[in-house]
C-alpha cells in the first residue's frame, strides 16, 4: 500500500511540475486568458496570460495539445514566433484556437494615454511619448486618415481621390515643410503603383523623394492618378491627422469637441503578428492557429522592393502572418481586418501547409502570397528587358533547390477590399512555387487581379471553384486571373525569341515544368479580361470556366489547351502567337466574334466551338479555323439567375460541349457565404453585330439606342444615330465619369457609334485599357470627354 501511494504521489508531483492537475490532465488542454498569469498551471480555472507561456510548456509535452484562448484583445509588442523548437511530430499536433468561438483579437498597436488640447477650429493636439511609429491612427476603433490632398472621397475611382496638380509648383509652395509626406501614384501605364517618401525640397522648390521601387516595370508615375498624404497644411477635414515627428506632437481634426482624453487611441507598431520561422533542414511542423481576429499592423509599402523575376511585381517578403520553413502548418478561420500590408505570406520552403476559412478584408496589400527563393531558379532574370544569353543559360529543367512553397492549399477564403494602399496586388499571388491548390475562394473589389501567377516557375497549380469579380478596379491591362511566363525562353526582342524557341524548343518548358489547371471557376472583369494569360504564359489547361464579361486572352506562349468554357458577351482574344505554339481552343461557347491581334499561325487546333451567329462563324472560317464549329443560340437554362448550363437541344452539344455545375463557385462555409457580395450578372447579348439590342446595362448605368425623330428632335441630333445615357445610378462606375444622364454617345475611341451594337463591339476591344475618349451630344452641342471604365 505504501509503495502504491508513493508512486501516486510521485506521479502527481511530476504532473504538477509540467503544469497539469485535476481532470484536464489527460485531455492535455491549456488555457490562456486576459485575466491569467504566466506562473499559473494553464488550467481553465488558472489560465496562462500569454501564448508564449503556453509555447514553453508545450515544448516538454509529447502528446497532442489544444491551447484555448479566452475572449479579449491581446496587444503584442513583437510577433509571436514559432521556430523549429516548437515543431511537433504528427502524433503530437498542437492547435491554438479561440475558446468556444469567443472573440479573440490580436493587435499590433500601442495604446496611448494622451492629454488633448484645442489647437484651432476643430483641430486638437497632444504630445506623444518618444519612440513610437505613427503610420496609422485608430480612434475608438475607427481608422483615421493622414492629412492628404486631395481629401478622401470614397466615390473616387482611384486612391479615394487623386489630382494632377499634386506636384505642381503652386501646390508645393503651399507646404512649408513636407518632409515625411508620402506620394502614392499609379504606374504610368496603370500597371500597378508607386510610392515615394518626401525627404524635403530642393533649391528649385521641387520635392525631393525616394522610393518608386515597388514596380518591376520602371516607367515612372502616372500624370493624373496620384495623391499626397502626411502634410500639415492639408489637415482640413474631419477624421484627418498629422504627426510632427520633430516636435512629437499629434494633431487630429475631430468632428466635434468630443472628449478625446477618454477616447481609445491606437497606433500600429509592428509589421506582423505571427511568424513561423524554420527551414528545409529544420522545419516548423504540425502547428495550427484557428479562430483569431488580427488587427493593427503597419503598412509596408516602403518595404516593397524585391523584384519577382521578370514579372511586373515587386514584393515585401512579409505579412500579418508569415510562414517560412513550415510543414503541415495551418491558418484557419482567421479574420484579417484592415491590416496594413499582406495578410498571409508563404516565403521560401513550405510544404503541405494551408490557409482555410479566413476572411481577409481591406488589407493594405495582397491577401495570400506564395513566393519562393530566386536562388532556386536556374538562370534567373529580374527585369522585363533583361535576358540570359543562350550560351550562358543553365539548361537543366526545374528548380535548383527545394527552397520554395509546394503542395500547399488555399481553401474557402473570402477576400475583398484588398490593395487599400498598394496597387500591384492580388487576392492570391504565386511566384516561384509548385503545386499550389487554390479552391473555393471568393475574391472581389481589388485594384488589380484576383489571382496572379507571376511566371512559369514551376507550375502544377490547381485553380478551381473560385468566384472572382470586380477586379482591375484601379489599374489597367490585366484580368481577374492574370499570369506571365517570362521564363528562360522569353526575350524582350520578339525576333530573337522567335529564333530561340524555333531552334531550341526544349527551352520552352524548362521552368513551366507542370501544367497549371484552371477549371470550374467563375470570373468577371469589367475593366480587362476575365482570364488573361500574358507574356509567355505556357503549359495551361483551362476548362469548365464561366467568364461573364471580359473574355479570355492568350498572348504569346506555348501549349495552352482551352476547352469547354462559356464566354458570355465576349470571346476569344488570341494575341501575337508564336509559330507552332501548340495552342488549342475547342468546344467553347463564345457570344462574340474572335478578336485576334497579329495572328499568323493559329496553333494546333481552333475548332468545334459555338458562335452566336453565322457572321461570327464565317469570320473565323476566313482565318482557316473552326471548320467544324457551328452557330446558334446556346439556349442557356436560366442566365438571369446565374445558370448558364445549356438546355437539351442546344447546338453546343453538336460540338462536344458538356455542362458543368453552376452552383459550386466560391466559399463554402455558411458564415463566409453570408458575408460575401454576389457577382453581378450580365444581360445576355448573343448577336455578334449587336444589331438587335436596343438597350443595355453598362458600367452600372443604363443605355438605349436613339430611336426615331422624337429622340432626334429632343436631343438636337443631326440624324437618328447614337446611344443615349438613360440612367446613371449613384455609386455606379458610370456615376464617377463625366457622362451625364441625357448625353448621347456619338463616338468612342474616335470610331462612330450608331447604336449599342457599335458601342459594345468597340468597348470589348478597348475595355482592358481602362478608359476611352468619348464624343457626346449634350445640350445640343458636341463635346469630348475622357471616361474611365473603373
Amino acid at each position: 500500500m505504501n509503495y502504491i501511494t508513493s508512486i501516486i504521489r510521485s506521479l502527481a508531483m511530476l504532473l504538477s511540475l509540467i503544469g497539469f492537475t485535476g481532470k484536464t490532465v489527460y485531455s492535455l488542454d491549456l488555457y490562456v486568458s486576459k485575466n491569467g498569469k504566466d506562473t499559473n498551471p494553464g488550467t481553465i480555472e488558472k489560465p496562462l496570460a500569454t501564448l508564449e507561456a503556453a509555447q514553453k510548456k508545450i515544448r516538454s509535452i509529447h502528446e497532442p495539445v489544444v491551447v484555448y484562448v479566452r475572449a479579449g484583445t491581446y496587444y503584442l509588442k513583437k510577433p509571436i514566433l514559432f521556430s523549429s523548437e516548437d515543431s511537433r511530430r504528427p502524433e503530437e499536433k498542437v492547435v491554438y484556437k479561440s475558446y468556444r468561438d469567443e472573440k479573440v483579437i490580436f493587435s499590433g498597436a500601442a495604446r496611448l494615454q494622451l492629454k488633448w488640447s484645442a489647437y484651432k477650429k476643430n483641430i486638437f493636439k497632444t504630445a506623444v511619448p518618444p519612440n513610437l511609429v505613427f503610420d496609422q491612427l485608430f480612434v475608438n476603433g475607427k481608422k483615421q486618415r493622414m492629412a492628404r490632398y486631395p481629401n478622401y472621397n470614397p466615390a473616387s475611382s482611384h486612391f479615394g481621390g487623386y489630382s494632377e496638380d499634386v506636384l505642381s509648383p503652386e501646390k508645393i509652395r503651399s507646404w512649408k515643410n513636407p518632409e515625411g509626406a508620402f506620394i502614392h501614384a499609379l504606374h504610368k501605364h496603370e500597371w500597378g503603383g508607386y510610392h515615394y517618401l518626401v525627404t524635403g525640397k530642393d533649391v528649385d522648390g521641387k520635392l525631393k523623394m525616394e522610393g518608386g521601387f515597388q514596380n518591376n516595370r520602371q516607367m515612372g508615375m502616372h500624370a493624373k492618378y496620384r495623391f499626397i498624404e502626411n502634410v500639415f497644411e492639408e489637415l482640413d477635414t474631419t477624421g484627418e491627422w498629422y504627426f510632427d515627428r520633430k516636435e512629437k506632437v499629434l494633431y487630429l481634426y475631430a468632428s466635434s469637441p468630443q472628449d478625446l482624453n477618454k477616447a481609445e487611441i491606437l497606433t500600429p507598431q509592428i509589421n506582423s503578428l505571427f511568424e513561423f520561422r524554420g527551414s528545409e533542414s529544420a522545419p516548423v511542423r504540425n502547428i495550427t492557429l484557428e479562430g483569431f481576429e488580427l488587427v493593427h499592423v503597419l503598412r509596408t509599402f516602403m518595404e516593397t522592393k524585391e523584384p519577382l523575376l521578370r514579372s511586373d511585381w515587386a514584393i515585401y517578403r512579409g505579412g500579418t502572418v508569415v510562414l517560412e520553413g513550415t510543414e503541415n502548418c495551418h491558418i484557419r478561420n482567421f479574420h484579417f481586418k484592415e491590416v496594413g500590408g499582406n495578410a498571409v505570406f508563404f516565403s521560401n520552403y513550405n510544404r503541405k501547409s494551408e490557409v482555410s476559412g479566413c476572411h481577409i478584408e481591406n488589407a493594405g496589400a495582397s491577401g495570400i502570397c506564395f513566393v519562393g527563393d530566386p536562388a532556386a531558379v536556374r538562370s534567373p532574370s529580374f527585369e522585363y528587358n533583361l535576358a540570359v544569353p543562350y550560351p550562358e543559360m543553365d539548361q537543366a529543367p526545374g528548380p535548383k533547390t527545394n527552397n520554395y512553397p509546394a503542395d500547399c492549399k488555399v481553401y474557402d477564403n473570402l477576400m475583398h477590399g484588398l490593395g487599400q494602399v498598394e496597387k500591384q496586388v492580388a487576392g492570391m499571388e504565386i511566384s516561384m512555387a509548385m503545386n499550389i491548390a487554390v479552391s473555393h475562394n471568393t475574391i472581389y473589389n481589388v485594384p488589380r487581379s484576383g489571382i496572379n501567377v507571376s511566371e512559369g516557375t514551376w507550375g502544377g497549380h490547381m485553380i478551381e471553384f473560385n468566384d472572382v469579380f470586380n477586379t482591375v478596379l484601379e489599374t489597367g491591362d490585366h484580368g481577374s486571373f492574370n499570369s506571365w511566363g517570362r521564363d528562360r525562353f522569353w526575350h524582350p526582342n520578339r525576333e530573337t525569341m522567335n529564333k530561340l524557341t524555333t531552334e531550341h524548343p526544349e527551352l520552352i518548358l524548362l521552368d513551366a515544368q507542370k501544367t497549371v489547371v484552371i477549371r470550374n471557376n467563375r470570373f468577371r472583369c469589367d475593366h480587362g479580361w476575365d482570364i488573361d494569360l500574358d507574356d509567355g504564359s505556357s503549359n495551361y489547361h483551362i476548362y469548365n470556366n464561366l467568364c461573364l464579361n471580359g473574355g479570355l486572352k492568350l498572348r504569346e506562349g506555348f501549349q495552352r489547351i482551352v476547352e469547354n468554357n462559356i464566354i458570355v458577351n465576349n470571346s476569344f482574344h488570341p494575341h501575337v502567337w508564336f509559330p507552332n505554339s501548340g495552342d488549342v481552343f475547342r468546344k467553347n461557347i463564345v457570344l462574340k466574334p474572335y478578336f485576334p491581334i497579329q495572328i499568323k499561325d493559329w496553333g494546333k487546333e481552333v475548332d468545334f466551338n459555338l458562335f452566336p451567329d453565322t457572321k461570327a462563324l464565317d469570320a473565323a472560317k476566313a482565318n482557316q479555323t473552326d471548320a467544324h464549329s457551328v452557330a446558334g443560340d446556346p439556349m442557356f437554362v436560366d442566365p438571369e439567375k446565374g445558370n448558364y448550363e445549356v438546355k437539351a437541344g442546344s447546338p453546343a452539344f453538336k460540338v462536344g460541349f458538356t455542362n458543368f455545375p453552376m452552383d459550386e463557385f466560391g466559399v463554402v462555409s455558411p458564415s463566409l457565404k453570408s458575408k460575401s457580395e454576389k457577382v453581378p450578372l450580365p444581360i445576355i447579348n448573343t448577336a455578334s453585330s449587336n444589331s438587335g439590342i436596343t438597350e443595355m446595362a453598362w458600367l452600372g448605368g443604363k443605355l438605349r439606342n436613339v430611336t426615331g425623330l422624337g429622340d432626334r428632335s429632343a436631343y438636337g441630333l443631326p440624324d437618328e444615330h447614337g446611344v443615349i445615357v438613360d440612367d446613371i445610378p449613384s455609386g455606379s462606375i458610370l456615376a464617377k465619369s463625366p457622362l451625364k444622364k441625357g448625353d448621347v454617345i456619338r463616338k468612342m475611341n474616335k470610331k462612330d457609334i450608331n447604336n449599342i451594337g457599335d458601342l459594345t463591339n468597340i468597348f470589348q476591344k478597348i475595355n482592358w485599357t481602362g478608359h476611352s475618349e468619348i464624343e457626346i451630344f449634350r445640350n445640343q452641342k458636341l463635346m469630348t470627354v475622357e471616361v474611365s471604365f473603373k
Side-chain angles (χ1 to χ4, degrees), residues 376-379 393-402 404 434 456-459 487-489 505-514 539:
V377 180
R378 299 180 187 274
S379 298
M393 191 180 296
D394 183 340
Q395 296 178 33
K400 287 197 294 186
T401 73
N402 292 324
Y404 56 88
M434 185 187 293
T457 51
W458 289 276
D487 301 328
R488 271 179 274 182
F489 75 85
E506 72 279 1
L507 297 179
I508 292 168
L509 300 185
L510 288 182
D511 291 313
Q513 285 278 285
K514 296 187 174 184
N539 202 0

Side-chain angles (χ1 to χ4, degrees), residues 115 177 205 228 282 286 295 339 342 345 422 453 495 603 628 676 695 712 731 736 763 787 789:
K115 293 184 179 181
N177 180 19
I228 190 168
N286 298 310
V295 296
V339 296
N342 304 312
F345 200 100
E422 301 180 50
V453 178
E495 291 183 3
H628 302 92
S676 177
E695 62 179 47
R712 180 176 180 179
K736 301 175 184 179
F763 178 68
V787 174
F789 306 146

Side-chain angles (χ1 to χ4, degrees), residues 119 124 184 187 294 324 402 508 685 775:
Y119 174 64
F124 297 83
H184 306 273
H187 182 280
L294 305 187
E324 181 168 6
N402 292 324
I508 292 168
N685 177 357
E775 190 176 280

